[in-house]
């Protein structure tokens, strides 16, 4: 009797996030071929040299990017069969442990990244429907939702035990009821779009919905393998985390103005916040304290500089910026 032994490789994917000038950016590396999409940083886990997954992640991230990452959180283990599109699915099965890592851009990170064929890119290039800072994106009602509903209408009915129907899941995920957009459902939205064959990855992966209508519009910039799903997972996780943990300060310099803090929060959440309401929220949360210094970087009147008040970590179990959903 012949037995087939599966070979499994464990890798570590990193969603490395920084915010610069109001743009939430992630490190991506160039594809190997001319037409190959970029992907997230990836490194092998070496149990002979790394005591834990996280220590291995920190080691190769600093070597390849010159970035010192602060907050790190494990997202999920991505191990679906065929996720690396091995010919005949007969090669080693790659299981990736995804991580969210927050950092600040360093002076020499650009040069080091370029040597490793990597660069920074806005995460809204991959999810343009997630950026509401200038209002509800026009492409939602003009292009994406009509294509999504049309694709859902062509798909076979879902089994009775599946719970909500596709139309209802689309309505909830995309906030089709006025004022009901939930920024934390970024992963739900991406998976609905992928399942309808409306991203390039669905066509590449041979999804029946995409193969049946290969000329359907494709939304957002594609990524290698399932890396856009990993990125969507990180986006959802970070938006939720900011509401009950002060991780936003991992993305801020040691001192900052309240305007800079607001712009960073808006960049992550993808929506505009009322200035006075935001300042009242920060004041009531007691997350920052004045330094006594001011900044004239904007060219206007001097703005007070603040820093993160670390004592809050000892005073309250869940200090964060409880920004409400739409």
């Amino acid at each position: 009797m012949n037995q087939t032994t599966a070979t499994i490789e464990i890798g570590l994917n990193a969603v490395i996030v920084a915010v610069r000038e109001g743009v939430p950016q992630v490190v991506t590396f160039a594809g190997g071929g001319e037409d190959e999409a970029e992907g997230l940083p990836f490194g092998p886990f070496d149990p002979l040299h790394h005591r834990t997954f996280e220590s291995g992640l920190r080691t190769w991230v600093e070597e390849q990017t010159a970035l010192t990452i602060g907050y790190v959180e494990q997202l999920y283990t991505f191990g679906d069969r065929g996720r690396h599109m091995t010919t005949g699915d007969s090669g080693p099965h790659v299981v990736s442990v995804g991580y969210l890592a927050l950092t600040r851009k360093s002076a020499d990170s650009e040069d080091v990244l370029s040597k490793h064929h990597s660069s920074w890119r806005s995460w809204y290039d991959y999810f343009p429907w997630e950026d509401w800072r200038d209002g509800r994106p026009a492409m939602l009602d003009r292009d994406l939702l009509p294509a999504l509903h049309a694709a859902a209408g062509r798909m076979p009915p879902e089994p009775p035990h599946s719970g909500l129907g596709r139309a209802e899941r689309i309505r909830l995920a995309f906030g089709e009821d006025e004022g009901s957009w939930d920024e934390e459902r970024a992963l739900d939205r991406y998976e609905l779009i992928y399942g309808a064959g409306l991203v390039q990855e669905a066509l590449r992966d041979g999804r029946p919905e995409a193969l049946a209508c290969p000329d359907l519009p494709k939304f957002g910039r594609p990524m290698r393998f399932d890396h856009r799903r990993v990125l969507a997972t990180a986006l959802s996780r970070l938006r939720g985390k900011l509401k009950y943990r002060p991780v936003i300060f991992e993305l801020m310099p040691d001192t900052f103005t309240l305007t800079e803090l607001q712009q960073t929060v808006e960049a992550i959440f993808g929506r505009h916040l009322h200035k006075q309401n935001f300042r009242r929220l920060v004041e009531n949360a007691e997350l920052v304290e004045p330094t006594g210094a001011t900044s004239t970087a904007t060219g206007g009147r001097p703005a007070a500089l603040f820093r993160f008040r670390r004592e809050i970590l000892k005073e309250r179990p869940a200090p964060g910026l409880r920004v409400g959903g739409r």
Side-chain angles (χ1 to χ4, degrees):
M1 179 177 179
N2 294 327
Q3 291 184 335
T4 302
T5 302
T7 302
I8 295 178
E9 294 180 358
I10 297 178
L12 306 173
N13 269 119
V15 179
I16 305 171
V17 180
V19 176
R20 185 174 185 179
E21 298 178 352
V23 180
Q25 299 176 313
V26 293
V27 174
T28 62
F29 70 91
E34 184 177 335
D35 299 325
E36 189 174 13
E38 67 250 21
L40 294 170
F42 178 88
F45 173 64
D46 184 352
L48 298 180
H49 296 92
H50 304 143
R51 185 176 62 85
T52 65
F53 286 168
E54 183 176 323
S55 65
L57 178 86
R58 289 182 181 275
T59 296
W60 65 255
V61 164
E62 293 186 18
E63 288 175 352
Q64 295 182 21
T65 67
L67 294 167
T68 300
I69 54 177
Y71 178 84
V72 171
E73 176 179 343
Q74 187 176 131
L75 291 170
Y76 190 73
T77 299
F78 299 86
D80 293 352
R81 183 181 173 192
R83 60 183 298 272
H84 272 228
M85 298 181 299
T86 307
T87 302
D89 209 15
S90 59
H93 183 68
V94 181
V95 174
S96 292
V97 182
Y99 278 87
L100 168 66
L102 306 184
T103 190
R104 304 163 190 168
K105 284 189 174 182
S106 63
D108 57 348
S109 65
E110 298 279 0
D111 290 338
V112 176
L113 286 173
S114 65
K115 292 176 183 177
H116 288 274
H117 307 289
S118 301
S119 61
W120 292 99
R121 184 176 288 278
S122 169
W123 70 23
Y124 292 126
D125 288 352
Y126 306 102
F127 312 108
W129 54 86
E130 294 289 340
D131 190 356
W132 286 56
R133 285 175 292 177
D134 293 324
R136 183 179 176 91
M139 58 93 67
L140 267 177
D141 300 310
R142 184 188 63 227
D143 304 313
L144 178 53
L145 284 170
L148 190 57
H149 282 295
R154 291 189 294 269
M155 297 164 70
E158 294 182 290
H161 63 268
S162 61
L164 296 176
R166 289 191 189 90
E168 182 70 6
R169 287 192 286 125
I170 292 170
R171 183 184 67 80
L172 292 174
F174 285 88
E176 291 190 283
D177 293 336
E178 185 66 30
S180 63
W181 178 268
D182 183 351
E183 61 273 350
E184 292 184 46
R185 303 190 73 161
L187 177 61
D188 294 342
R189 288 185 281 272
Y190 175 71
E191 291 191 328
L192 281 167
I193 297 170
Y194 174 88
L198 298 176
V199 291
Q200 192 63 38
E201 290 91 329
L203 185 61
R204 179 205 63 200
D205 295 348
R207 292 280 302 193
E209 298 80 9
L211 293 176
C213 301
D215 295 328
L216 287 175
K218 301 296 184 285
F219 296 96
R221 189 178 181 90
M223 299 189 86
R224 299 182 69 192
F225 308 135
D226 57 356
H227 288 193
R228 195 153 37 145
R229 181 183 176 219
V230 178
L231 181 54
T233 305
L235 174 54
S236 289
R237 181 73 61 84
L238 183 55
R239 285 177 167 179
K241 184 69 68 173
L242 258 59
K243 296 178 182 179
Y244 61 92
R245 289 287 184 271
V247 295
I248 190 66
F249 298 102
E250 298 285 347
L251 301 168
M252 302 299 300
D254 293 334
T255 61
F256 47 84
T257 67
L258 291 183
T259 296
E260 291 168 338
L261 179 61
Q262 179 175 341
Q263 290 173 343
T264 303
V265 173
E266 290 175 335
I268 298 298
F269 280 112
R271 60 190 185 88
H272 176 68
L273 303 172
H274 187 275
K275 181 177 179 180
Q276 295 305 321
N277 289 347
F278 177 78
R279 296 195 174 203
R280 192 177 302 113
L281 177 67
V282 172
E283 180 180 334
N284 292 341
E286 299 180 313
L287 293 172
V288 301
E289 59 187 6
T291 66
T294 59
S295 170
T296 58
T298 60
R301 59 186 297 182
L305 286 171
F306 292 79
R307 59 175 165 249
F308 174 46
R309 193 173 74 84
R310 297 192 175 278
E311 291 78 7
I312 196 71
L313 298 174
K314 302 176 184 177
E315 298 169 1
R316 292 210 307 271
L321 291 167
R322 298 184 182 278
V323 178
R326 283 186 178 272

